[in-house]
Amino acid sequence: MNMFSQRRNVEQVELGAELAPRFDADGLIPAIVVDGVTNAILMLGYMNAQALEQTIVTRQAHFWSRSRKALWRKGEHSGFAQTVERMLIDDDQDAVILHVRVDGPGSCHVGFRSCFYREVDLDQQSRDTPIRLNRSEPAPAFDAGTVYAGLPNPTQV
Amino acid sequence: MNMFSQRRNVEQVELGAELAPRFDADGLIPAIVVDGVTNAILMLGYMNAQALEQTIVTRQAHFWSRSRKALWRKGEHSGFAQTVERMLIDDDQDAVILHVRVDGPGSCHVGFRSCFYREVDLDQQSRDTPIRLNRSEPAPAFDAGTVYAGLPNPTQV
């Protein structure tokens, strides 16, 4: 596998034309997933080197499931795959953006279109008041109980 | 400090109206920063509890600098502050989005408007070919050498 270049110096990483990603101590790089049509941010996933490679080669979004500790093609359970239309990388090459076409009603394991379906109420600005969340997506886009039947919930308390 | 609620169970975290963020093993939560005018993703930063609290209370974006190991108000060196207009949180409350107004020409320490100024060339789909990057922002928006004079470069090789 020679898709990724070695990281040699700051100038190469920041201004070069080589893909030289930096994976964190757990071997992961965060991937921000954006709906290519609406520009809405759908989710933040994590990729190991294999997931990043598979995503580029197949143009289907792959991630590393931190809860299941397994490579995971988005949509393999739900059918709601993400086809990658564009991929961007940041200055120090430790984060990527995927612009995707979602083949289904949503990308969130709770059933919403986007994982970011709640907004923080910024009008409560006291350090001693519990901050509230408001629903920014009024209702789920699909029935997660049916779509993900039999699978463990990835949310960790 | 009572702004954050305790995480009690999956239903509360996913469907509740309490802000109950999950910080990772390093005490951090990733924050995706979006330009409130253009909808472009500007950067991915990391917040500790204090940075998240300060961001909500002051509506000025604060982060934890992983390279300097210090709380950091965006713009404290450059003057290019980020005023937070909206904040969203995801299903398991371990990632946030900030919609900001940038008081300056850019948000990237290399001098570009966005940290994501390069696009991965997805047409090279061989596992044995080094992947190339193309510049999606043609030129820097400001002179980083002047704006960040005397500061260490946060990029780690």
Side-chain angles (χ1 to χ4, degrees):
Chain A
M1 202 273 288
N2 293 306
M3 296 174 67
F4 305 146
S5 297
Q6 292 293 315
R7 295 168 69 91
R8 295 188 303 274
N9 56 65
V10 169
E11 187 180 356
Q12 170 230 7
V13 168
E14 290 183 345
L15 295 171
E18 296 170 316
L19 178 60
R22 184 170 199 264
F23 298 94
D24 69 12
D26 296 321
L28 302 178
I29 189 168
I32 304 164
V33 182
V34 177
D35 187 308
V37 176
T38 66
N39 234 13
I41 296 174
L42 299 176
M43 53 180 279
L44 178 68
Y46 292 86
M47 296 173 162
N48 62 1
Q50 189 186 4
L52 180 55
E53 184 199 60
Q54 284 287 95
T55 299
I56 293 171
V57 171
T58 66
R59 293 213 191 185
Q60 297 295 302
H62 288 68
F63 302 96
W64 176 258
S65 167
R66 295 174 300 168
S67 57
R68 292 186 287 117
K69 303 190 192 314
L71 185 71
W72 153 50
R73 181 179 64 75
K74 182 67 182 170
E76 68 186 16
H77 297 295
S78 63
F80 309 153
Q82 294 174 345
T83 300
V84 179
E85 297 173 334
R86 295 179 67 201
M87 182 185 293
L88 299 158
I89 195 158
D90 74 341
D91 41 24
D92 55 353
Q93 300 202 34
D94 70 352
V96 298
I97 297 173
L98 312 180
H99 288 258
V100 304
R101 188 186 70 236
V102 182
D103 303 321
S107 293
C108 166
H109 79 276
V110 182
F112 291 89
R113 188 178 51 78
S114 162
C115 295
F116 295 89
Y117 51 82
R118 286 173 298 183
E119 182 161 350
V120 178
D121 184 352
L122 293 175
D123 290 332
Q124 302 173 217
Q125 294 189 4
S126 161
R127 280 182 171 77
D128 294 315
T129 307
I131 300 288
R132 304 290 294 177
L133 305 176
N134 299 312
R135 197 67 74 75
S136 48
E137 270 190 60
F142 60 93
D143 180 32
T146 305
V147 167
Y148 294 110
L151 292 173
N153 189 314
T155 294
Q156 294 169 20
V157 175
Chain B
M1 201 275 287
N2 293 305
M3 296 175 66
F4 305 146
S5 298
Q6 293 294 315
R7 295 168 69 90
R8 296 187 304 275
N9 56 65
V10 169
E11 187 179 356
Q12 170 230 8
V13 168
E14 291 183 345
L15 295 172
E18 296 170 315
L19 178 59
R22 184 171 199 264
F23 299 94
D24 68 13
D26 295 320
L28 302 177
I29 189 168
I32 304 164
V33 182
V34 177
D35 187 308
V37 176
T38 66
N39 235 12
I41 296 173
L42 299 176
M43 54 180 278
L44 178 68
Y46 293 85
M47 297 173 161
N48 62 3
Q50 189 186 3
L52 180 56
E53 184 198 57
Q54 284 287 97
T55 299
I56 293 171
V57 171
T58 67
R59 293 211 191 185
Q60 297 294 303
H62 289 68
F63 302 97
W64 176 257
S65 168
R66 294 174 301 167
S67 58
R68 293 187 286 116
K69 302 190 193 312
L71 185 73
W72 153 52
R73 181 180 64 75
K74 182 69 182 169
E76 67 186 17
H77 298 294
S78 64
F80 308 154
Q82 295 173 345
T83 300
V84 179
E85 296 172 335
R86 293 179 67 200
M87 183 185 293
L88 298 159
I89 195 158
D90 74 341
D91 40 23
D92 55 353
Q93 300 202 35
D94 69 353
V96 298
I97 298 173
L98 311 180
H99 288 259
V100 304
R101 188 186 69 235
V102 182
D103 303 321
S107 293
C108 166
H109 79 275
V110 182
F112 291 89
R113 189 177 49 77
S114 162
C115 296
F116 295 89
Y117 51 82
R118 287 173 297 183
E119 182 160 350
V120 177
D121 184 351
L122 293 175
D123 290 333
Q124 302 173 218
Q125 295 189 2
S126 160
R127 280 182 170 76
D128 294 315
T129 307
I131 299 289
R132 305 291 293 176
L133 305 176
N134 299 313
R135 198 66 75 77
S136 47
E137 270 190 60
F142 61 94
D143 180 31
T146 305
V147 167
Y148 293 110
L151 292 174
N153 189 313
T155 294
Q156 295 169 21
V157 175

